[in-house]
Amino acid sequence: MRANVKIAVAMATAATLALTGCTKKNDTDTSSGGSGDKKTYKVAFVPKLQGVPYFEAMNAGGKAAAAALGNVEWLYQGPTQADAAAQADIVRSYIQQKVDTLIVAPNDPDSMAPLLQQAKDAGIHVATADTDAPNSVREVFVNQATAEGIGQGLTDSLLTAMGGKGKYAIVSCGQTAENLNAWIKVQQAYTKTKYPDAQIVDVVYAGEDQAKATQMATDLMNAHPDLTGLVGECTSSAPGVAQAVKDAGKIGKVFTVGLGTPQAMKPYLTDKSSTAAILWDVQNLGYLTAWAGAQIAEGKSLQATNNVSDKLPAVTYDASSKMLLLGPALAITDQNVDQFNY
């Protein structure tokens, strides 16, 4: 009997050790990334328009952030035209997919606000990037630069070229775009106060259509023969207005600036049909967007200053406006345009 008891005890001990070993192995697997390990968060970004260099650069930045973070699946889809209804359909699709974070650059902030509420009601974290929907339930707005920084940068660059005086016009894009309208308001007020001898004679809207922007700029020059400046308020109208000046043979007589992506603007900066593109590092904006999406998905609080990456070591966050700010606007000229590959 005693021998049998000893054998039974030995077998029980061995079984206990085996179970302990299995448990420890499973614990190790879980902590090091085995089955059942940390969650991967689906972060979806819906741009105003897919297929244009600006938002494709944001997409590249988002992909880079997802790769660096390791726990983000970056999803990217936008309408093929800057259409609020088409954008809304894509947003509804992501709500049905139950992504973890939904980030939108709204074509129409007012019509987007109810959809962001729907997403929140479905348990999805919501945010905006590039352009805001301020009267919505978005948890954070990832902003490229302040409206003052962009509006004043555009005005100073253009009026310096114009000699601080004269008439200029603005060719904007979407008539309901929150960011573009905010910049225009700054330009209007800043021009009056800093440049009393300058005047904005018109603001027109070309949508996200470069050819239409060129035609509108041509029409403006014909309607105002004494016009000496044009602003392209977005990445399609910036090269559009420069092209109009080039076509009219008015380089050096009518000056242009705009919100153009570097490589799209390079030929115009080189031939002086454009003085400067006022922009920011768009890939970094995409990186910050994906990072912010991951932070809110994980329930992490944003700090007053955030170390996002080596390139973004001190991104500021304003809790009162719930705004992450990429940084100051950047003047891209023929001197530094080759530093950017998009």
Side-chain angles (χ1 to χ4, degrees), residues 132 134 138-141 302 304 317-324:
D132 197 13
R138 56 89 168 145
E139 296 168 58
V140 63
F141 168 40
L302 297 171
Y317 174 67
D318 177 55
S320 62
S321 61
K322 299 181 180 178
M323 184 178 73
L324 268 175

Side-chain angles (χ1 to χ4, degrees), residues 6-191:
K6 286 180 179 179
I7 291 168
V9 169
M11 289 176 67
T13 302
T16 302
L17 288 170
L19 285 170
T20 302
C22 286
T23 303
K24 285 185 176 179
K25 184 176 185 300
N26 288 340
D27 285 347
T28 303
D29 282 351
T30 300
S31 62
S32 63
S35 59
D37 65 351
K38 67 180 182 178
K39 177 179 171 65
T40 296
Y41 296 93
K42 290 185 177 182
V43 176
F45 176 53
V46 183
K48 288 181 184 178
L49 182 67
Q50 187 170 330
V52 295
Y54 180 89
F55 285 115
E56 296 309 311
M58 277 193 74
N59 184 32
K63 287 179 179 178
L69 292 167
N71 66 335
V72 170
E73 180 183 351
W74 173 253
L75 304 172
Y76 171 81
Q77 186 182 356
T80 55
Q81 293 183 333
D83 178 71
Q87 188 179 45
D89 288 340
I90 295 167
V91 169
R92 290 188 189 96
S93 173
Y94 279 135
I95 293 173
Q96 290 173 356
Q97 292 176 47
K98 298 188 183 298
V99 296
D100 295 289
T101 303
L102 176 60
I103 309 172
V104 185
N107 280 300
D108 183 348
D110 292 334
S111 66
M112 185 55 64
L115 286 173
L116 296 181
Q117 181 68 59
Q118 284 182 30
K120 182 183 178 182
D121 292 344
I124 297 169
H125 293 279
V126 292
T128 53
D130 179 69
T131 186
D132 197 13
N135 300 316
S136 72
V137 294
R138 56 89 168 145
E139 296 168 58
V140 63
F141 168 40
V142 184
N143 193 6
Q144 58 274 73
T146 64
E148 289 74 17
I150 295 168
Q152 291 178 10
L154 285 167
T155 307
D156 285 336
S157 181
L158 181 62
L159 266 298
T160 298
M162 289 170 57
K165 61 183 180 180
K167 295 179 180 179
Y168 75 94
I170 296 171
V171 181
S172 192
C173 297
Q175 198 159 352
T176 58
E178 177 73 21
N179 56 345
L180 308 187
N181 291 336
W183 303 337
I184 291 169
K185 285 180 182 177
V186 171
Q187 289 163 259
Q188 290 168 331
Y190 189 59
T191 298

Side-chain angles (χ1 to χ4, degrees), residues 292-340:
Q295 297 300 298
I296 60 175
E298 295 180 72
K300 293 181 179 178
S301 298
L302 297 171
Q303 306 303 309
T305 304
N306 300 271
N307 184 1
V308 174
S309 69
D310 290 342
K311 291 183 179 179
L312 299 169
V315 174
T316 60
Y317 174 67
D318 177 55
S320 62
S321 61
K322 299 181 180 178
M323 184 178 73
L324 268 175
L325 185 64
L326 180 68
L330 171 69
I332 298 167
T333 68
D334 59 343
Q335 299 300 306
N336 65 355
V337 66
D338 285 327
Q339 294 176 21
F340 307 92

Side-chain angles (χ1 to χ4, degrees), residues 232-282:
E233 203 75 19
C234 73
T235 56
S236 57
S237 65
V241 299
Q243 185 66 49
V245 168
K246 186 174 183 177
D247 292 345
K250 292 188 175 181
I251 295 175
K253 297 176 182 178
V254 178
F255 302 93
T256 78
V257 299
L259 276 294
T261 49
Q263 290 306 306
M265 294 305 297
K266 182 178 177 179
Y268 303 108
L269 294 169
T270 301
D271 69 18
K272 306 300 183 185
S273 56
S274 178
T275 299
I278 305 300
L279 204 64
W280 42 88
D281 191 311
V282 184

